[in-house]
Amino acid sequence: MKLLRYGPMGQELPGILDSTGNIRALRPIVRDIDATVLSLEGLRFLGALDVSKLPLVSNPGRLGSPIGAVREIIAIGLNYREHAKESGLPIPSEPVVFGKSTSSISGPDDDILLPPGSEKTDWEIELGIVIGAVARRVTKEVARQYVAGYCMVNDVSERAWQIERGGQWGKGKSFDTFTPVGPWLVTGDELDPNALDLNLQVNGRTCQQGNTSDLIFDVDAVVSYVSQFMTLMPGDLIITGTPAGVGLGMKPPKYLADGDVIDMSVTGLGTQRHAVMKAV
């Protein structure tokens, strides 16, 4: 299944893609794509629906994040070998974990707003894992049973705030619009998360090309590791790191500017397009 949310920001409605790629309305069957829907029971309920009989959404307008109420964003850093190298940092022996504010979440085609005075805002295409069951100290062997599905995420990062303002990464990654998610959440039965191509272009120039087979810590390892020290809940979002090709790693570094356009795609997870502009 491909689950999504459509409508104006803050007023999004739940939907599902049918076999022809059209959006079907899930309201009033479900209130939102939330923890209840993303639980294993909720997904089984949706999987039993005849999607072709649901109301057709002929003019959905804007797409929002496909997850309605994210409790946590847990981010994994330096999780592709070549990205760690381009950052000038050693390959991690354990996952590097940090947090992002949920207020940074935006839709897959929403504008990215440069913070006032920012000269080092960067792009990072990532695979997102959406949790579907309460996970505490789970093993790698069963970790996939706790996953509702996957989505594409741009972990936008203001490098000066991330690196030069005391070394707390979340400060550079939590500005408004800095976590575009979507367009869809694809349930775990529809794809292999360890064999996905990731591609990001800025103004038509390819900057990032990678595959999740190059992850240092794969989906199973990440879910298991994080669950050792925190309880994961349905609807929690884990973003798994970015391949090489970020602006910080270029020589000289190159960052986003007003008027830039970012295009992103991940196998099976759709596309994103963002206009970059200065925040008012």
Side-chain angles (χ1 to χ4, degrees), residues 19 132 143 156:
S19 60
V156 185

Side-chain angles (χ1 to χ4, degrees), residues 22-36:
N22 291 312
I23 296 176
R24 301 283 179 161
L26 282 174
R27 179 77 67 85
I29 297 173
V30 301
R31 185 184 65 83
D32 204 350
I33 308 299
D34 56 15
T36 301

Side-chain angles (χ1 to χ4, degrees), residues 108-119:
D109 298 308
D110 289 343
D111 297 338
I112 292 173
L113 304 180
L114 299 173
S118 171
E119 296 181 352

